[in-house]
Structure formats: structure tokens, C-alpha cells
Amino acid sequence: MCATVAASTAARADDFWKFWGDGKAELDGYALTEPRYGQSRQGTAVSIFVTEDFSDALRVKADPGKHATSDVVPVMKLNLVRDFQTGIYDYNTLTSTFLRTEPIGGDPFTLMKTSFSSQEWCGHVYAQWLARGTKLVGTSHSYFDGEADASPELEMPAGGVVEDALPVLVRGLRGDWLAPGATKKVPFLRSQLRTRLLHLPAKWGDATVSRASSSAEVKTALGTLRAFTYTVAETGGDTLTFTVEETAPHRLLAWRSSSGEAARILGSARLEYWTMHGNGDEKALERLGLGPQALPPKK
């Protein structure tokens, strides 16, 4: 079971917890384009945003009553699922990122953990980063020769931004990440998805983050909405653009990268999805603009 516990240790009467402390998750479905093997692949993505209590020691969801109060930290969890076809076989990937909801040193949503897994017909890989003090402590396992098992470690620079956290940061859930029209340069670590698919070692670079000075109307599957954009230009790498709903809850309406990934929202719902595992519950996928897994025809 993956039920949220509504971050009980931090519940308070502010706007963030009035919305995100209701014990439900926000689920958003997307049409996905993913570059792989030199071609654009079509697929789907689902983002799951939910608050939960997290064990600082174990870096897993903290079940009620099992941990000392001092060990329990409220987090925003983002699970981002990507599924896309590559010829005869498909890729199924999941990035799971955990960020503190409460400010530390003035900034909310500091990284605690981010993990990534990818499954396809050739094999599977897993990688994670744990933020421990001034370090990122890593673990990775892969079926590729030369990448089988590793325990990398990186410094965590002040103000460093991990790409996997961007879908939370750009939403400004506890106040604007950047003011309209503002720009800043930050240490930047590319996503685990890109690191793995490119078979490159993880290392810090830098990126320039910019927010558009004003919002504009955009047409989406949810209707015509006002939205603002963030641009994250990685020095010597990708430029990422995020389109964010102007009004709360500031849903992520679309994103794209200069290397070819693109996603646009198809549907959105707030659900206790972990209770919806019975036959017939798949009908709720329609609210995300998605459908159930295709089954072979009966003969």
C-alpha cells in the first residue's frame, strides 16, 4: 500500500496544507514524445504528486507509529512514469523524487531522495541519490557491461538544482520559485533518465533558469488556461521549457526539451488512487485522458 498519511507531522492552517493535506494525490496524464535510438517515440506519461511522511533515517515512507517524531519529515513525492514504444518492445520508466515541504534556510522543497528505474526487453536498471548533508550518495545497478554496480558520490553544492525536482520547483507550491521576469544561474545535475539513456557519468554542471515576465493563454485538453513558462538552459546541454498553470494549484501543463522530449497534458484528477485497484477501477483513467492497457484479442 502506498497511501499518503497527509503529512500529519506538519499539518497546519496555511494554504499549502489546506490543499495538499487532504490525503489525496494529484494525477496528471500526458501525451509523450521521447527520443530514443535516433527517432521520436510516442507514448504516455503520468505524474503523481502527493504529500506523505518520510523517514529521514531510512529514506522511505514512514508508516504511522513506527518512527520517532524526530525522524519523520513531511515531503512532497513526485512519481513520474514514462511509457513509450521502441519498435517491437517498449520502455517503462519511473522517476521518484522526494522533497522536504518545509523550508530549510529559507527554501522549501530541498531534495531528500530521487530514484530512477527503467525496464525494457533487454533488461533493467536502477539508480538513486540520497541527499546527506553536503553529499549526494548514490547507488546504481545496470545490466550493461561496465555499469553493473556502482556507489557514486557527489558534492551537493549550495543552491544546487537536480533536474528531477524541476516539475515541483516550477509550480511554486509554497511561493514563486522565481519572480516573473527573473533569471538566475544555478549548479545543475541532469536527470537520471537522461544520464542513463545517454550512458554518461553523473556530474554537476550549471544552468540558467528564467521565468517569463508575464502569462499568456494556452489551449490545452483542460480548456484554455492562462499559464507562465520557465526555461532551464543547461550550459553545453539541453534547454528545458515548462508551461505552468497560472492559478492554483499551478499544474504542469506541458514540458519540452531541445533534445526532443515533449509532453502535453491530457487530463487531471485528485484521487486516492492506491485504493483503486479493483477490476473496473481502470475507468478512472479516462479522467487523466488515458485508457487501460490494451489486451490481445480473444480467439
Side-chain angles (χ1 to χ4, degrees):
M1 174 172 292
C2 54
T4 176
V5 292
S8 57
T9 60
R12 59 193 66 192
D14 63 21
D15 289 341
F16 176 84
W17 285 111
K18 285 178 182 177
F19 185 82
W20 290 100
D22 67 351
K24 295 181 180 179
E26 177 190 300
L27 290 84
D28 304 308
Y30 298 89
L32 177 70
T33 299
E34 191 69 40
R36 189 65 177 139
Y37 304 121
Q39 294 180 302
S40 292
R41 314 296 180 157
Q42 303 306 306
T44 59
V46 178
S47 64
I48 300 117
F49 294 86
V50 65
T51 56
E52 63 185 28
D53 284 345
F54 201 63
S55 167
D56 188 27
L58 299 181
R59 297 297 165 101
V60 295
K61 186 178 75 68
D63 288 339
K66 289 189 176 181
H67 301 265
T69 301
S70 60
D71 182 46
V72 178
V73 178
V75 297
M76 171 65 74
K77 178 174 71 176
L78 165 60
N79 283 344
L80 181 53
V81 182
R82 294 172 172 93
D83 295 321
F84 55 94
Q85 197 77 24
T86 53
I88 193 174
Y89 63 91
D90 60 338
Y91 271 73
N92 312 110
T93 77
L94 169 64
T95 304
S96 189
T97 303
F98 303 82
L99 306 169
R100 292 177 183 265
T101 62
E102 307 310 299
I104 292 182
D107 295 323
F109 302 116
T110 57
L111 180 70
M112 295 197 74
K113 175 181 179 178
T114 184
S115 61
F116 169 79
S117 61
S118 175
Q119 293 71 233
E120 36 89 5
W121 286 17
C122 296
H124 62 144
V125 299
Y126 175 82
Q128 70 175 27
W129 291 110
L130 302 181
R132 297 284 193 187
T134 61
K135 301 285 187 181
L136 281 180
V137 180
T139 301
S140 66
H141 306 283
S142 169
Y143 69 89
F144 284 99
D145 193 5
E147 298 180 356
D149 301 287
S151 301
E153 187 173 290
L154 295 174
E155 295 293 327
M156 183 67 180
V161 173
V162 174
E163 182 181 339
D164 292 324
L166 287 175
V168 175
L169 298 178
V170 299
R171 293 183 66 173
L173 298 176
R174 304 208 75 158
D176 290 341
W177 189 32
L178 288 184
T183 297
K184 68 176 179 180
K185 195 169 187 177
V186 299
F188 186 74
L189 184 65
R190 73 163 53 99
S191 72
Q192 295 173 100
L193 171 73
R194 289 201 291 137
T195 298
R196 300 306 302 172
L197 294 186
L198 294 172
H199 299 285
L200 294 174
K203 64 179 181 178
W204 286 95
D206 56 59
T208 300
V209 182
S210 304
R211 179 176 169 177
S213 58
S214 60
S215 62
E217 287 190 345
V218 295
K219 293 183 178 179
T220 77
L222 308 180
T224 299
L225 303 171
R226 292 200 69 83
F228 57 88
T229 60
Y230 270 95
T231 301
V232 181
E234 180 186 12
T235 301
D238 268 11
T239 295
L240 314 170
T241 303
F242 299 88
T243 303
V244 184
E245 182 180 23
E246 183 177 46
T247 58
H250 310 300
R251 289 170 295 187
L252 186 56
L253 303 178
W255 73 83
R256 57 185 169 84
S257 75
S258 57
S259 60
E261 183 179 80
R264 56 181 174 82
I265 200 165
L266 299 174
S268 179
R270 289 187 63 79
L271 300 170
E272 295 179 0
Y273 70 91
W274 48 89
T275 69
M276 303 173 67
H277 43 63
N279 289 332
D281 286 338
E282 63 274 9
K283 292 179 181 178
L285 286 168
E286 295 177 3
R287 298 176 64 181
L288 309 184
L290 304 174
Q293 179 182 355
L295 299 177
K298 294 181 179 179
K299 293 185 178 180

